[in-house]
Amino acid sequence: MITLVTLAAAVTGAVLVVGSTVGGWTLGLGTHDRVAIANTALVIYTCLLTAVAAFVALLAYLAATGRPALDIEITFNFSFPNEPVFLSAPSEEGDWGRKILGFKQAIARVTLQNKSVYAAKNVGVRVELKGLGGLGDQEGWQPVDFVTTVGVTAIQWDGGTDSIVHGQWSRALPALDFSDVLELGRDDTALVVTLVADGVAPLSRRLPVRILDQDEYDAYTEQRNERLT
């Protein structure tokens, strides 16, 4: 679009100059003074080019200072996006609480989205466990918080300064595996996800986590199938 606007302004100005000097155009000035008419055409041409330059500079400024609009989607198998629901493993002697059964239901796809037209630079994502513990190593994620009796309680992914998320685009982050994660209490279990990028304030989202017994999970599965159909 910028190229077309620039070409249109240049062609329009050139046509005015040629028409006023060669074609006998008066440009509505009510005079036949060729010098005055030619000077007026040149002024119009200059104003058109100046307006285009200002327009291009404004677009460049907006592109440099515009803010991204980040969002996150964490989708565990057999759960809806950002609504993690798990089947608990059979209890064993000595267990503190229920554990997430370790099969593919515990694997999540993580997608970072930028809903703005402006690119997000130096992006980072942190996932904090609330009321949960026993998170294993996560490939592509770094542990950033640890409690001796609980284990890792927060992990982080950093895109770095050379990695951006383009406007109206998304980026797939390393998968998460919540196999054998332990429920420390049956109230207020959640994932708190915080997104950061250059030039924007941190954005946090709280994703409630449900760990269900077999009967509860069967009922949830039926409800989920109804929602899908």
Side-chain angles (χ1 to χ4, degrees):
M1 184 184 73
I2 295 176
T3 302
L4 292 177
V5 171
T6 303
L7 288 175
V11 170
T12 300
V15 169
L16 287 175
V17 172
V18 173
S20 64
T21 56
V22 179
W25 295 1
T26 62
L27 304 181
L29 296 178
T31 179
H32 294 284
D33 186 337
R34 309 316 307 168
V35 174
I37 295 173
N39 286 337
T40 300
L42 289 173
V43 170
I44 295 173
Y45 192 11
T46 301
C47 289
L48 285 173
L49 293 180
T50 301
V52 170
F55 176 67
V56 172
L58 177 61
L59 291 180
Y61 172 78
L62 291 175
T65 60
R67 295 184 177 183
L70 295 175
D71 201 358
I72 194 81
E73 185 175 281
I74 300 179
T75 306
F76 288 89
N77 289 306
F78 314 127
S79 295
F80 290 104
N82 294 339
E83 298 179 18
V85 177
F86 304 104
L87 173 62
S88 63
S91 60
E92 299 178 2
E93 186 176 351
D95 284 348
W96 287 8
R98 294 183 295 181
K99 285 185 179 180
I100 294 174
L101 185 62
F103 75 107
K104 61 181 180 179
Q105 65 146 357
I107 308 299
R109 301 185 307 276
V110 184
T111 305
L112 182 62
Q113 302 168 335
N114 182 7
K115 298 180 179 180
S116 168
V117 297
Y118 305 109
K121 303 176 182 178
N122 198 18
V123 183
V125 179
R126 178 174 292 186
V127 179
E128 299 176 72
L129 280 65
K130 301 296 183 182
L132 300 165
L135 182 66
D137 292 337
Q138 306 294 312
E139 185 175 354
W141 297 80
Q142 296 295 323
V144 293
D145 204 355
F146 182 90
V147 177
T148 302
T149 57
V150 174
V152 174
T153 58
I155 55 176
Q156 185 167 305
W157 173 87
D158 288 298
T161 56
D162 296 329
S163 178
I164 66 173
V165 182
H166 297 286
Q168 301 291 320
W169 202 250
S170 62
R171 177 182 292 275
L173 303 190
L176 295 174
D177 184 356
F178 273 51
S179 297
D180 297 327
V181 165
L182 182 66
E183 183 184 48
L184 303 179
R186 297 209 174 191
D187 296 324
D188 206 27
T189 52
L191 304 179
V192 177
V193 184
T194 304
L195 313 175
V196 295
D198 284 349
V200 294
L203 171 68
S204 292
R205 295 197 60 179
R206 187 179 185 89
L207 314 182
V209 173
R210 298 167 62 196
I211 302 177
L212 307 179
D213 296 328
Q214 186 66 63
D215 291 342
E216 296 172 323
Y217 191 80
D218 290 342
Y220 163 76
T221 300
E222 184 175 346
Q223 295 170 0
R224 180 174 178 271
N225 290 337
E226 290 176 356
R227 285 178 62 182
L228 288 174
T229 58

